[in-house]
């Protein structure tokens, strides 16, 4: 046990998962004490066997557990009220090679079919390791029923690894006798959907019970059908009984600790953390109070002491510039007419653009002469107008303290496209804009079989120069200081063009790095249209030219885009030279907002290795900006030519800094986790693709965040 715990503590993947979850736990709001218990596989369960319970809709769970020679690290997301998905990364000593260990990646899905009623139990069906090497592969149907507030019983039937003990002929054989035989398990590259194995072969019954002493402490017992055949045959685990027992202690901040005994002899431990993305660390946040909108008549009385009122447009402009700067908004343009005024701003603080619109409108209402009634706020990115919000000053005065003021101001406001804004009123001293910054960076490499997490840290210098609206010259330069990415001895074994699998060579042969050095022009070709052209060293491995066009009407759920690139592979030193390989790539893209925070995207076209196919993405975004999603890519590269993993796939997370600190911020901490990144389905990593940049300012996104308009 001591050696196993030592392996757990020194596992880089465990340290990363534990550290990330611990930071979130320390800053999390109090969690409910009745949250779902998780198994060692990170899914709703007892000790190792599943239950028919589920997480709350949208919850995210992190689990690390140790069972004999196996360490499991799992992320589970409740994608829909009845559907959860899990990604697991496990260390397996039962697959030892020359005394070492191997690492396994697997995916699960758990579907709740029925909720518990007064008599009826909850019922769920699940697939474990349905997309992996099959080492944990199994399927189950399970029912769970509570008796009072403390006692709970679970029973189910399982196939595959769930049928290791007390198995019997598959009852589904009455439907088709093919269900009675299970094909041999997957092996090798993994990543294939072996659907012909599901619910086939012998079956076994499993069962379990739990008893809650109080809101924090619970005990478990289960009849387990998992015999750990591989580990037992290698004498790495001693499973002498079909009984597993455990004890769990629950903390209010979302952390669960569990200790258990598996098979009568093996002592194990588990850490779980359940996070609700809808509940930030500090509910309500730490925003500074907005300026109250007083009576414009009182403002007129004070005109003798108000330079903005008495000094004309230029004086009002300077006061507005100062007030907006208090909220990290840059005034880029200002026009003033008899009854209307327009400000053009760039929001550098608020994650909800509606809140920025509200703060800007308040600044106008507390500055401009009383006869100005119509207030227009134009949002700009890189000097390019995106959308505008038109509000009546009287609405702000009437509704700023109204209980339903946010909705009522939305119903009276207008959100419009700003393609016709032009450069009228642009501040004369705005351009050129020069910006630079020096900061540390950390680059990660996941799932190297010899070291699951590799990292490189160093110094990063960013610089940009904008001489005119939409035109930006930018560079990013890095100097690695420490890390172990370059220590990997993995070399590309690709059967297609090695456009990504030479990543280790780029780390080994570079010192001072020119990561990006580009010229970019963004523009508005017409109403609801956005354009971008970028040229230079586009990313760390490729340079070239990229052009993009996006159609995105205000308030539309649908957006369409097209991108074409000419890319040439860079030298391994990441300086200014190029290799011989070049390629023309491009994609047609469709983006659709399904509602309830679900965002879908399809990109079809040609990838960096010359392969043709499509990438399918689905993300769930919460109103506070927290986002969880996944994607997969299928191209004309066969699974054999693709290599390990069979096809490109992954999950991604985005956590706004404001979620952790409570302070308003546009900074987002993001991470994409690919089980394996090979050369098939590889896309150019161009900065500032248009849809993500534009989306926050279009009508539907402004509406979704309008609850913060008066904040």
């Amino acid at each position: 046990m001591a050696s196993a715990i030592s392996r757990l503590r020194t596992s880089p993947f465990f340290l990363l998962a534990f550290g990330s979850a611990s930071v979130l736990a320390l800053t999390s709001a109090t969690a409910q004490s009745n949250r779902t218990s998780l198994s060692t596989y990170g899914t709703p369960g007892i000790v190792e066997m599943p239950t028919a319970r589920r997480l709350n809709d949208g919850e995210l769970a992190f689990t690390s557990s140790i069972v004999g020679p196996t360490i499991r690290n799992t992320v589970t997301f409740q994608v829909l009220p009845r559907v959860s998905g899990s990604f697991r990364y496990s260390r397996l000593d039962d697959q030892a090679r020359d005394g070492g260990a191997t690492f396994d990646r697997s995916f699960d899905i758990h579907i709740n079919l029925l909720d518990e009623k007064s008599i009826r139990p909850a019922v769920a069906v699940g697939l474990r390791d349905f997309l992996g090497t099959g080492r944990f592969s199994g399927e189950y149907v399970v029912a769970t029923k509570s008796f009072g507030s403390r006692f709970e019983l679970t029973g189910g039937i399982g196939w595959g690894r769930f049928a290791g003990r007390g198995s019997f002929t598959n009852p589904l054989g009455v439907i088709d006798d093919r269900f009675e035989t299970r094909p041999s398990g997957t092996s090798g590259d993994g990543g294939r959907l072996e659907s012909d194995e599901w619910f086939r072969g012998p079956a076994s019954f499993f069962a379990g019970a739990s008893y809650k002493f109080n809101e924090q402490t619970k005990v478990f017992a289960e009849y387990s059908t998992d015999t750990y055949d591989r580990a037992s045959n290698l004498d790495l685990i001693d499973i002498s009984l079909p009984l597993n027992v455990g004890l769990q202690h629950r903390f209010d901040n979302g952390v669960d600790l569990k200790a258990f005994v598996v098979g009568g002899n093996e002592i194990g431990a588990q850490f779980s953390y359940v996070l609700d993305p809808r509940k930030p660390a500090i509910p309500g946040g730490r925003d500074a109070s907005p300026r109250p909108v007083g009576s414009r008549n009182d403002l007129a009385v004070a005109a003798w002491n108000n330079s903005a009122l008495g000094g004309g447009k230029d004086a009002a402009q300077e006061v507005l510039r100062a007030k907006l700067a208090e909220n990290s908004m840059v005034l880029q343009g200002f026009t003033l007419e008899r009854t209307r005024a327009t400000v053009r701003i760039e929001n550098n603080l608020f994650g909800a653009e509606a809140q920025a619109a509200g703060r800007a409108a308040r600044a106008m209402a507390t500055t401009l002469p009383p006869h100005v009634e119509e207030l227009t706020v134009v949002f700009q990115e890189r000097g390019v107008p995106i959308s505008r919000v038109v509000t009546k000053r009287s609405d702000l005065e009437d509704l700023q303290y109204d209980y339903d003021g946010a909705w009522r101001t939305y119903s009276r406001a207008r959100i419009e496209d700003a393609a016709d804004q032009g450069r009228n009123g642009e501040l004369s001293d705005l351009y050129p804009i020069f910006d630079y910054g020096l900061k540390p960076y950390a680059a990660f490499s996941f799932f190297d079989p010899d070291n699951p997490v590799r990292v490189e840290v160093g110094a990063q210098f960013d610089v940009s120069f904008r001489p005119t609206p939409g035109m930006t010259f930018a560079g990013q330069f890095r100097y690695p200081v420490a890390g172990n990415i370059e220590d990997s001895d993995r070399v590309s074994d690709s059967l297609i063009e090695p456009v990504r699998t030479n990543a280790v060579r780029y780390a080994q042969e570079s010192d001072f790095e020119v990561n990006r050095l580009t010229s970019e022009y963004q523009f508005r070709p017409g109403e609801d249209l956005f354009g971008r052209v970028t040229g230079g060293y586009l990313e760390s491995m490729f340079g070239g030219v990229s052009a993009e066009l996006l159609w995105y009407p205000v308030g539309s759920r649908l957006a369409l885009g097209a991108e074409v690139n000419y890319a040439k592979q860079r030298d391994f030193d990441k300086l200014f030279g190029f290799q011989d390989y070049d390629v023309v790539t491009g994609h047609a893209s469709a983006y659709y907002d399904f509602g309830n925070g679900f965002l879908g995207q399809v990109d079809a076209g040609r990838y960096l290795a010359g392969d043709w196919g499509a990438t399918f993405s689905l993300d769930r975004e919460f109103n506070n900006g927290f986002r969880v999603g996944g994607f997969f890519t299928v191209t004309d590269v066969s699974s054999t030519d693709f290599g390990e993993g069979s096809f490109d796939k992954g999950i991604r997370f985005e956590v706004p800094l404001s979620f952790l600190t409570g302070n308003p911020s546009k900074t987002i901490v993001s991470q994409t986790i690919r089980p394996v990144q090979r050369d098939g389905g590889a896309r150019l990593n161009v900065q500032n693709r248009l849809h993500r940049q534009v989306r926050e300012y279009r009508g539907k996104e402004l509406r979704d965040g309008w609850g913060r308009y008066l904040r």
Side-chain angles (χ1 to χ4, degrees):
M1 177 62 185
S3 62
I5 293 178
S6 176
R7 290 195 302 269
L8 180 62
R9 287 199 301 259
T10 57
S11 164
F13 185 87
F14 171 79
L15 293 174
L16 178 66
F18 183 86
S20 300
S22 297
V23 169
L24 291 170
L26 290 172
T27 57
S28 173
T30 300
Q32 295 181 355
S33 60
N34 63 347
R35 59 182 176 264
T36 299
S37 294
L38 303 174
S39 71
T40 62
Y41 288 88
T43 57
I46 309 169
V47 178
E48 300 221 283
M49 298 294 105
T51 66
R53 298 303 183 202
R54 62 185 179 190
L55 297 170
N56 294 323
D57 183 32
E59 283 188 334
L60 191 64
F62 303 87
T63 301
S64 287
S65 64
I66 178 168
V67 183
T70 302
I71 300 169
R72 303 181 185 124
N73 304 284
T74 308
V75 178
T76 296
F77 180 51
Q78 193 70 32
V79 184
L80 296 168
R82 294 184 180 274
V83 180
S84 65
S86 303
F87 169 67
R88 183 179 308 104
Y89 191 65
S90 305
R91 172 186 166 127
L92 304 169
D93 278 351
D94 63 338
Q95 301 295 313
R97 298 172 180 170
D98 300 325
T102 58
F103 298 89
D104 180 74
R105 299 166 291 269
S106 55
F107 292 84
D108 297 2
I109 189 168
H110 180 86
I111 303 172
N112 285 81
L113 303 177
L114 297 172
D115 290 328
E116 181 178 358
K117 300 295 184 182
S118 57
I119 298 177
R120 185 185 73 195
V123 178
V125 61
L127 304 173
R128 180 175 290 172
D129 195 1
F130 73 94
L131 188 62
T133 60
R135 293 186 173 104
F136 299 115
S137 178
E139 305 79 48
Y140 58 86
V141 178
V142 62
T144 300
K145 183 73 176 72
S146 58
F147 298 88
S149 61
R150 296 179 180 269
F151 188 63
E152 186 174 277
L153 282 178
T154 292
I157 181 173
W159 294 262
R161 185 150 173 167
F162 291 103
R165 177 182 283 109
S167 60
F168 48 84
T169 301
N170 192 342
L172 296 178
V174 300
I175 301 174
D176 191 318
D177 57 12
R178 287 180 296 178
F179 280 105
E180 296 179 1
T181 304
R182 189 177 184 90
S184 59
T186 60
S187 60
D189 294 335
R192 300 187 181 96
L193 282 172
E194 300 291 340
S195 56
D196 59 342
E197 294 183 4
W198 296 349
F199 302 99
R200 293 182 62 176
S204 294
F205 290 120
F206 58 88
S210 67
Y211 181 79
K212 188 192 309 182
F213 288 111
N214 50 49
E215 294 300 321
Q216 284 76 41
T217 307
K218 184 186 290 188
V219 293
F220 306 89
E222 68 182 13
Y223 172 80
S224 173
T225 53
D226 189 347
T227 56
Y228 282 86
D229 287 343
R230 286 192 177 102
S232 295
N233 292 336
L234 292 171
D235 294 326
L236 295 173
I237 192 169
D238 185 3
I239 303 294
S240 59
L241 294 175
L243 181 66
N244 301 335
V245 296
L247 173 69
Q248 173 182 283
H249 187 75
R250 175 158 290 170
F251 298 88
D252 287 340
N253 63 358
V255 172
D256 289 350
L257 298 180
K258 185 185 289 187
F260 46 83
V261 179
V262 172
N265 301 291
E266 297 293 336
I267 299 174
Q270 178 177 317
F271 164 89
S272 297
Y273 173 63
V274 179
L275 169 72
D276 188 341
R278 286 167 294 202
K279 297 180 179 178
I282 301 173
R286 291 173 170 158
D287 304 23
S289 298
R291 292 177 177 271
V293 180
S295 166
R296 71 179 81 183
N297 293 326
D298 293 339
L299 193 65
V301 170
W304 65 272
N305 195 31
N306 189 326
S307 62
L309 295 175
K313 176 181 178 295
D314 291 342
Q317 177 177 298
E318 292 310 307
V319 174
L320 276 173
R321 191 202 299 256
K323 288 182 177 180
L324 291 169
E326 291 175 1
N327 291 291
S328 296
M329 289 185 282
V330 179
L331 180 65
Q332 297 186 333
F334 176 54
T335 57
L336 178 63
E337 302 175 41
R338 174 64 186 171
T339 60
R340 66 183 64 177
T342 299
V343 295
R344 297 162 63 172
I345 65 168
E346 186 174 272
N347 168 35
N348 296 316
L349 179 65
F350 299 103
E353 304 301 337
Q355 186 172 6
R359 292 295 179 102
R362 282 176 183 266
M364 298 172 75
T366 57
T367 302
L368 301 178
H371 50 76
V372 176
E373 169 65 9
E374 186 176 274
L375 310 176
T376 299
V377 177
V378 179
F379 285 111
Q380 302 201 147
E381 278 289 331
R382 293 167 177 79
V384 179
I386 308 297
S387 300
R388 57 177 169 246
V389 178
V390 184
T391 307
K392 298 295 184 182
R393 186 173 184 171
S394 55
D395 291 338
L396 281 177
E397 295 168 340
D398 295 342
L399 301 174
Q400 61 176 321
Y401 301 120
D402 190 282
Y403 178 77
D404 199 25
W407 173 249
R408 295 179 69 186
T409 54
Y410 175 76
S411 65
R412 300 180 187 185
R414 303 197 316 268
I415 301 174
E416 303 170 344
D417 186 50
D420 60 351
Q421 197 67 37
R423 299 183 66 174
N424 182 35
E426 182 180 289
L427 271 59
S428 59
D429 60 348
L430 182 60
Y431 295 101
I433 299 174
F434 181 70
D435 192 20
Y436 65 92
L438 180 65
K439 63 182 180 182
Y441 79 90
F444 293 91
S445 173
F446 295 106
F447 309 125
D448 184 323
D450 301 316
N451 198 334
V453 177
R454 293 184 182 273
V455 65
E456 176 185 273
V457 296
Q460 176 175 303
F461 179 71
D462 295 287
V463 61
S464 67
F465 175 71
R466 186 172 303 129
T468 188
M471 188 72 202
T472 305
F473 300 93
Q476 182 181 90
F477 309 91
R478 286 180 173 179
Y479 188 81
V481 175
N484 61 349
I485 293 179
E486 63 182 18
D487 295 338
S488 174
D489 58 3
R490 299 269 287 181
V491 296
S492 176
D493 59 353
S494 184
L495 298 179
I496 59 177
E497 190 66 35
V499 294
R500 293 299 183 209
T501 51
N502 272 327
V504 172
R505 286 196 63 184
Y506 278 95
Q508 291 173 339
E509 298 187 26
S510 62
D511 195 358
F512 174 77
E513 302 172 358
V514 180
N515 285 85
R516 288 194 304 273
L517 189 61
T518 60
S519 59
E520 175 190 274
Y521 183 59
Q522 294 194 17
F523 57 99
R524 297 296 309 271
E527 183 178 358
D528 298 327
L529 292 174
F530 302 83
R532 173 188 60 80
V533 178
T534 309
Y537 298 91
L538 301 173
E539 51 147 282
S540 60
M541 297 185 188
F542 282 88
V545 180
S546 173
E548 181 184 8
L549 183 67
L550 176 72
W551 172 79
Y552 197 160
V554 170
S556 174
R557 291 181 179 270
L558 176 68
L560 300 174
E563 178 182 288
V564 61
N565 313 293
Y566 168 74
K568 190 172 179 65
Q569 196 161 29
R570 297 178 59 184
D571 282 345
F572 294 123
D573 61 9
K574 295 185 184 180
L575 293 177
F576 301 103
F578 288 94
Q579 301 182 43
D580 291 335
Y581 181 72
D582 63 350
V583 62
V584 174
T585 77
H587 288 80
S589 301
Y591 313 85
Y592 192 77
D593 188 328
F594 292 98
N596 197 30
F598 285 95
L599 311 170
Q601 179 176 340
V602 179
D603 304 287
R606 194 183 194 208
Y607 294 84
L608 281 173
D611 47 330
W612 294 81
T615 299
F616 302 86
S617 306
L618 182 66
D619 295 86
R620 184 169 183 183
E621 184 177 56
F622 300 89
N623 283 342
N624 55 29
F626 200 115
R627 178 185 282 211
V628 182
F631 61 90
F632 69 92
T633 301
V634 180
T635 74
D636 55 4
V637 174
S638 68
S639 60
T640 300
D641 288 346
F642 183 93
E644 183 182 2
S646 298
F647 62 96
D648 188 46
K649 52 193 172 291
I651 56 178
R652 55 195 177 206
F653 305 90
E654 292 185 5
V655 183
L657 188 61
S658 58
F659 181 91
L660 302 175
T661 66
N663 296 314
S665 174
K666 296 199 74 174
T667 301
I668 293 176
V669 180
S670 62
Q671 184 63 61
T672 297
I673 299 177
R674 279 180 165 91
V676 177
Q677 182 163 20
R678 301 284 295 177
D679 299 309
R683 194 175 179 186
L684 200 64
N685 294 325
V686 182
Q687 292 290 299
N688 302 326
R689 284 194 165 109
L690 293 172
H691 180 262
R692 188 62 188 275
Q693 181 175 293
V694 168
R695 176 176 170 265
E696 304 300 325
Y697 303 100
R698 303 312 266 176
K700 187 178 183 305
E701 285 308 299
L702 281 170
R703 182 196 69 188
D704 289 347
W706 204 267
R708 302 191 70 87
Y709 180 77
L710 294 176
R711 291 289 298 272

